[in-house]
DNA sequence: ATTCTAACA
DNA sequence: TGTTAGCA
């Protein structure tokens, strides 16, 4: 009575596909115990343990190619290095997923904040924010794809960012990105008049006029530059429209010690 | 019924 | 990686 098993039995035992076992053989990392006269592959306990080792390395994201060298001619030190490399990859992946998680939470938060108060003026508290300069534009120059392609390469995940436009009264508009620690410009902590809308880009000028009209009518003393925040990622919920939030400081700047 | 190889998406 | 075809 033969104690070896067929490829499908091995596949079921180890929870992998038959194809994958043949693939390992093709790559030279798992040979059958023997092949029957009918060309059927047969596997014994040695192969079971061998496959378990292979699958463990695969779990650690060691590439099939490396597994071959690893099991034939690697020193213990090289094996350690292989595992360290896998560990680094996994840490990078973990960080990627955490950043993705943060982004999703941000989208949900911003979307809810908008859906609760759409197209309405509000007064919002803002913490001190630093901005780093990104692109400068002439007042009425459109930002075109070519210009964006020149400048945007160095900014990863640009379209997952809150892009800040500062209208400071001069004839240039500057695009900024938020920065936690420092930047060329800071927005002071304080109360900001806020209006957020989903509109088409060409309606932005009109929206800005509306914002200033309202502020004047309500006698809000606008203290600083107009801040326009573009959150293009909120277009997830409404294609062909862009989310803008207009803000302007309405309280006097805080004391230098920040404890006004 | 199961496995084989080979080629393809 | 999964799927398919034609074969033993």
């Amino acid at each position: 009575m033969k104690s070896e098993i067929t490829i499908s039995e091995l596949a079921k035992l180890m929870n992998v596909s038959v194809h994958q076992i043949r693939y390992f053989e093709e790559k030279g990392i798992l040979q059958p115990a023997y092949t029957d006269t009918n060309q059927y592959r047969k596997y014994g306990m040695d192969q079971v343990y061998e496959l378990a080792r292979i699958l463990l390395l695969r779990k650690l994201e060691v590439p099939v190619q490396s597994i071959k060298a690893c099991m034939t001619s690697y020193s213990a030190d090289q094996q350690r290095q292989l595992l360290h490399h896998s560990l680094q990859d996994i840490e990078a992946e973990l960080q990627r997923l955490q950043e993705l998680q943060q982004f999703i939470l941000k989208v949900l938060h911003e979307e809810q904040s908008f859906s609760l108060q759409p197209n309405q003026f509000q007064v919002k508290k803002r913490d001190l924010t630093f901005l780093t300069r990104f692109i400068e534009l002439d007042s009425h120059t459109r930002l075109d794809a070519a210009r964006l392609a020149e400048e945007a390469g160095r900014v990863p995940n640009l379209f997952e960012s809150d892009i800040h436009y500062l209208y400071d009264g001069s004839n240039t508009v500057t695009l900024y990105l938020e920065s936690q620690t420092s930047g060329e410009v800071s927005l002071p902590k304080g109360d900001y008049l806020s209006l957020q809308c989903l509109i088409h880009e060409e309606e932005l000028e009109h929206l800005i006029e509306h914002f200033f009209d309202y502020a004047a009518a309500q006698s809000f003393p606008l203290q600083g530059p107009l801040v326009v925040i573009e959150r293009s990622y909120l277009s997830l919920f409404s294609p062909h429209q862009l989310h803008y939030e207009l803000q302007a400081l309405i309280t006097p700047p805080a004391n230098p010690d920040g404890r006004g």
Side-chain angles (χ1 to χ4, degrees), chain A residues 223-235:
Chain A
Q223 301 288 335
L226 173 67
V227 186
V228 175
I229 304 169
E230 177 183 310
R231 298 189 178 92
S232 61
Y233 53 85
L234 285 185
S235 304

Side-chain angles (χ1 to χ4, degrees), chain A residues 144-175:
Chain A
D144 58 90
R147 180 71 191 282
L148 189 59
E150 283 176 22
E151 314 270 6
R154 57 198 148 86
V155 181
N157 304 331
L158 174 63
F159 292 97
E160 284 88 58
S161 311
D162 295 9
I163 301 174
H164 289 57
Y165 299 67
L166 252 53
Y167 295 76
D168 59 1
S170 74
N171 53 4
T172 61
V173 180
T174 310
L175 279 63

Side-chain angles (χ1 to χ4, degrees), chain A residues 108-120:
Chain A
L108 285 172
H109 176 263
E110 294 292 348
E111 198 278 334
Q112 174 172 299
S113 143
F114 174 62
S115 65
L116 290 179
Q117 300 283 334
N119 313 314
Q120 289 180 18

Side-chain angles (χ1 to χ4, degrees), chain A residues 157-209:
Chain A
N157 304 331
L158 174 63
F159 292 97
E160 284 88 58
S161 311
D162 295 9
I163 301 174
H164 289 57
Y165 299 67
L166 252 53
Y167 295 76
D168 59 1
S170 74
N171 53 4
T172 61
V173 180
T174 310
L175 279 63
Y176 295 86
L177 295 174
E178 282 179 310
S179 161
Q180 316 79 333
T181 52
S182 67
E184 290 94 350
V185 173
S186 67
L187 295 178
K189 172 183 175 138
D191 291 342
Y192 285 73
L193 180 64
S194 158
L195 172 65
Q196 42 184 335
C197 292
L198 274 174
I199 57 171
H200 294 94
E201 194 196 347
E202 26 329 330
E203 303 173 72
L204 183 57
E205 274 187 51
H206 179 256
L207 187 69
I208 291 174
E209 285 174 28

Side-chain angles (χ1 to χ4, degrees), chain A residues 10-252:
Chain A
L10 181 64
K12 191 192 284 185
L13 176 66
M14 306 302 285
N15 277 303
V16 296
S17 65
V18 168
H19 185 88
Q20 197 176 12
I21 296 174
R22 292 204 195 97
Y23 178 70
F24 290 152
E25 182 178 337
E26 185 190 316
K27 295 299 169 188
I29 60 179
L30 180 69
Q31 301 301 326
Y34 64 94
T35 62
D36 224 336
T37 51
N38 57 9
Q39 301 283 359
Y40 286 13
R41 296 162 172 83
K42 290 303 188 75
Y43 302 87
M45 283 305 293
D46 289 350
Q47 287 67 236
V48 171
Y49 283 115
E50 188 107 336
L51 181 53
R53 256 185 88 200
I54 293 166
L55 293 175
L56 184 54
L57 290 170
R58 291 288 324 277
K59 259 193 179 175
L60 302 178
E61 304 211 322
V62 177
V64 173
Q65 181 69 36
S66 310
I67 292 178
K68 180 189 173 116
C70 174
M71 299 201 309
T72 58
S73 60
Y74 266 33
S75 69
D77 199 55
Q78 284 174 304
Q79 308 233 20
R80 264 190 291 278
Q81 220 176 335
L82 207 61
L83 292 189
H84 279 303
H85 195 262
S86 300
L87 197 58
Q88 285 181 344
D89 287 352
I90 287 165
E91 278 163 2
E93 180 69 357
L94 203 53
Q95 187 179 338
R96 188 187 71 80
L97 290 173
Q98 278 168 350
E99 282 167 8
L100 183 59
Q101 182 184 44
Q102 286 304 113
F103 173 67
I104 291 170
L105 287 170
K106 179 174 81 167
V107 172
L108 285 172
H109 176 263
E110 294 292 348
E111 198 278 334
Q112 174 172 299
S113 143
F114 174 62
S115 65
L116 290 179
Q117 300 283 334
N119 313 314
Q120 289 180 18
F121 286 91
Q122 296 173 264
V123 175
K124 282 189 177 179
K125 304 266 184 216
R126 253 198 96 117
D127 270 332
L128 176 65
T129 314
F130 294 102
L131 300 176
T132 57
R133 188 180 295 113
F134 174 41
I135 296 182
E136 274 188 36
L137 294 173
D138 293 330
S139 240
H140 284 7
T141 307
R142 266 279 182 284
L143 176 58
D144 58 90
R147 180 71 191 282
L148 189 59
E150 283 176 22
E151 314 270 6
R154 57 198 148 86
V155 181
N157 304 331
L158 174 63
F159 292 97
E160 284 88 58
S161 311
D162 295 9
I163 301 174
H164 289 57
Y165 299 67
L166 252 53
Y167 295 76
D168 59 1
S170 74
N171 53 4
T172 61
V173 180
T174 310
L175 279 63
Y176 295 86
L177 295 174
E178 282 179 310
S179 161
Q180 316 79 333
T181 52
S182 67
E184 290 94 350
V185 173
S186 67
L187 295 178
K189 172 183 175 138
D191 291 342
Y192 285 73
L193 180 64
S194 158
L195 172 65
Q196 42 184 335
C197 292
L198 274 174
I199 57 171
H200 294 94
E201 194 196 347
E202 26 329 330
E203 303 173 72
L204 183 57
E205 274 187 51
H206 179 256
L207 187 69
I208 291 174
E209 285 174 28
H210 178 54
F211 184 85
F212 282 127
D213 288 348
Y214 177 87
Q218 301 289 317
S219 302
F220 279 115
L222 301 188
Q223 301 288 335
L226 173 67
V227 186
V228 175
I229 304 169
E230 177 183 310
R231 298 189 178 92
S232 61
Y233 53 85
L234 285 185
S235 304
L236 270 178
F237 301 94
S238 58
H240 310 120
Q241 288 194 305
L242 284 173
H243 176 103
Y244 289 100
E245 178 167 359
L246 278 52
Q247 293 183 344
L249 183 67
I250 57 175
T251 53

Side-chain angles (χ1 to χ4, degrees), chain A residues 4-14 18:
Chain A
E4 284 79 17
I5 58 178
T6 67
I7 193 169
S8 60
E9 289 170 318
L10 181 64
K12 191 192 284 185
L13 176 66
M14 306 302 285
V18 168

